[in-house]
Amino acid sequence: MNRIPVRVTVNGEPTEHDVEPRLLLVHHLRETLRLTGTHVGCDTSNCGACTVLLDGEPVKSCTVLAVQADGHQVTTVEGLAAGDGRLTAVQEGFRREHGLQCGYCTPGMIMAATGLLAAEPDPPEHRIREALEGNLCRCTGYQMIVNAVRWAAAHAGETFDVATGPRQAEGAA
Amino acid sequence: MIPARFDYHRAADAAHALALLGELGDEAKLLAGGHSLVPLMKLGLAQPAALVDVGDVRELSYVDERDGVLAVGALTRYRDIERSELARRLVPILAHATGRIGDPQVRARGTIGGSLAHGDPAADLPAVAVATGAVMVVRGPGGERHVPAREFFRGFLETALQPDEMLVEVRFPASGVEPWAYEKFSRRAQDYAIVGVAVVRGPEPGIALVNMDSTPVFCAAASAALGRGEEARAVAELAAADGRPPSDLNGDGAYRRHLARVLTERAVRAAAI
């Protein structure tokens, strides 16, 4: 079986593995690197649950071969919180605004929203909706997800303690 | 879903890609952004023995203005076309239609050359290339040849490209492609068009339909009628009579003709402003 060396910087850490060319990036992340925060949803590049940042742009990792990421930077949902575990504004926004119910689509939603806010720090609501066009949620009806992204835009650059509950964090903020 | 096994080759530049294609013959497929090919491979509908990855060949990623054309490198990603000030100014229908492909994640990966070489009649850019009268620059072992977009698409997922050739650039007329309109109808925001239409009014009008046949459809009679200044309704009737629309779960042929008429009428009116 032919294997190809793949060097990807994942969440800031250089990684190197020999992989089969047909290995999908999402499986490389979940199975080789054990980063299971990135979900496989539809597996047909529709639902966006597998969204990660590739060189800062949201992509669907079920439709990228791991070999295509060679030499590039990947950020997964595990890479958002800083080393001290403090959440980004997007992560905290989803918590505050109840931007999830079952949570399956959430890592992809958060990565798509993170990519949007990096490019457009203060997007109008229609831009948020366009940026999340490739992410399906079957629970929330999207409004609360949009609210979560708006909340994140309003708190750009702040970080949040994961241990404090939303109520206490409200007082602290 | 996991693709069948294949041999993988990474091209350092366009010359290397052509050399690999020459070596591997018609067993090999070029892999650009992979957003048409990889889904087909995952479904088992495409099983190339070898892939030549040109995704990191940056020399073919550019949007330039030269000699009256907007020259777009074949490996320019949708995102870069959508954001290109030059494309938006000179060939706005291209920038607009590119911004309506799939969703943001797809546009971060897919390339113009990948879409055109794939030749899916349901895709947006083939019809835009046909309507604007774009020219494909094709490079092979014997050098370069130019193929008008209106002669490039030969059948379902079939183009004028030979197995040892690659599309390197797409040239759009940098003037005369306004006013314009692009209309597409799909059930969900990210879906392929059930039917779409690209209309360029310009001195040389061009109307092309998306997903109304096994190739993008150049509507010669409707384009001529638009040039004569006929009414939107009459132009739309002519466009809707073109092509041999497929029937599938999204709609039958008659419904597609209905959509083609409505969308063309709407686009012709929009392109009048």
Side-chain angles (χ1 to χ4, degrees):
Chain A
M1 188 193 315
N2 63 339
R3 286 180 171 267
I4 303 283
V6 169
R7 294 158 297 261
V8 194
T9 302
V10 179
N11 301 331
E13 297 286 327
T15 68
E16 182 167 355
H17 296 86
D18 289 342
V19 305
E20 264 198 275
R22 61 177 176 164
L23 182 71
L24 299 170
L25 178 59
V26 69
H27 294 140
H28 188 49
L29 295 170
R30 289 179 55 86
E31 290 160 27
T32 315
L33 301 171
R34 295 284 164 189
L35 292 170
T36 54
T38 304
H39 292 169
V40 180
C42 69
D43 204 8
T44 55
S45 56
N46 279 278
C47 80
C50 65
T51 299
V52 298
L53 302 184
L54 182 59
D55 297 333
E57 295 269 13
V59 304
K60 293 180 173 177
S61 61
C62 78
T63 308
V64 177
L65 300 169
V67 288
Q68 290 180 288
D70 182 59
H72 295 273
Q73 309 263 344
V74 171
T75 308
T76 69
V77 71
E78 289 93 340
L80 293 181
D84 59 5
R86 290 181 66 80
L87 301 179
T88 65
V90 176
Q91 290 173 306
E92 181 68 11
F94 272 71
R95 193 162 77 157
R96 297 279 182 112
E97 296 292 329
H98 301 282
L100 65 150
Q101 185 176 317
C102 83
Y104 202 86
C105 72
T106 311
M109 288 285 179
I110 285 180
M111 298 318 290
T114 299
L116 168 69
L117 295 183
E120 291 178 49
D122 189 19
E125 180 167 332
H126 80 271
R127 285 290 304 137
I128 296 173
R129 290 182 182 277
E130 283 170 9
L132 299 178
E133 220 166 65
N135 293 75
L136 302 182
C137 171
R138 303 286 76 159
C139 302
T140 66
Y142 300 101
Q143 184 57 51
M144 292 187 291
I145 292 174
V146 173
N147 294 347
V149 180
R150 288 164 64 95
W151 192 96
H155 293 81
E158 296 175 37
T159 64
F160 301 87
D161 190 344
V162 71
T164 33
R167 199 171 291 276
Q168 285 139 301
E170 195 83 57
Chain B
M1 295 168 294
I2 294 169
R5 289 202 173 87
F6 54 86
D7 290 325
Y8 176 82
H9 305 267
R10 186 175 295 132
D13 52 31
H16 186 206
L18 282 172
L20 286 167
L21 284 182
E23 223 171 88
L24 298 163
D26 57 10
E27 298 283 278
K29 291 276 288 178
L30 289 177
L31 175 71
H35 272 50
S36 299
L37 184 56
V38 173
L40 289 184
M41 290 172 64
K42 288 174 66 181
L43 291 168
L45 297 174
Q47 297 194 5
L51 290 185
V52 174
D53 186 354
V54 290
D56 279 335
V57 175
R58 300 326 291 161
E59 64 178 307
L60 293 182
S61 174
Y62 54 82
V63 180
D64 287 338
E65 182 186 8
R66 81 171 95 93
D67 309 326
V69 302
L70 182 80
V72 183
L75 292 169
T76 312
R77 296 195 193 277
Y78 298 143
R79 171 63 42 82
D80 296 326
I81 297 170
E82 187 185 355
R83 289 178 182 167
S84 160
E85 282 303 320
L86 205 55
R88 288 153 78 131
R89 183 158 53 81
L90 297 178
V91 191
I93 189 172
L94 171 67
H96 172 86
T98 303
R100 294 195 57 190
I101 295 171
D103 54 45
Q105 290 95 319
V106 168
R107 297 197 294 275
R109 294 296 298 166
T111 67
I112 183 172
S115 171
L116 296 172
H118 186 61
D120 188 335
D124 301 276
L125 295 187
V128 170
V130 166
T132 54
V135 172
M136 314 291 183
V137 181
V138 173
R139 196 178 291 167
E144 280 187 359
R145 61 191 183 103
H146 295 177
V147 184
R150 290 173 196 174
E151 296 164 23
F152 183 75
F153 301 99
R154 299 287 171 83
F156 184 69
L157 306 186
E158 257 185 67
T159 68
L161 289 167
Q162 297 300 309
D164 57 355
E165 290 182 319
M166 71 185 282
L167 179 61
V168 292
E169 185 176 282
V170 190
R171 294 181 183 165
F172 294 87
S175 59
V177 286
E178 291 185 86
W180 60 275
Y182 186 72
E183 292 283 343
K184 76 193 258 195
F185 182 81
S186 48
R187 289 186 302 116
R188 299 178 306 171
Q190 59 177 222
D191 281 348
Y192 280 98
I194 297 174
V195 172
V197 61
V199 172
V200 173
R201 203 158 195 132
E204 284 182 50
I207 298 178
L209 297 171
V210 178
N211 213 2
M212 280 288 285
D213 207 328
S214 55
T215 63
V217 178
F218 174 60
C219 303
S223 301
L226 183 60
R228 289 191 302 271
E230 289 190 23
E231 281 188 16
R233 183 63 183 249
V235 172
E237 296 284 357
L238 287 169
D242 259 328
R244 288 160 300 166
S247 292
D248 57 29
L249 291 175
N250 284 313
D252 61 15
Y255 176 60
R256 282 198 159 83
R257 286 205 194 280
H258 162 76
L259 281 178
R261 186 179 56 72
V262 171
L263 296 175
T264 305
E265 184 173 348
R266 199 176 286 169
V268 168
R269 287 190 201 284
I273 301 162

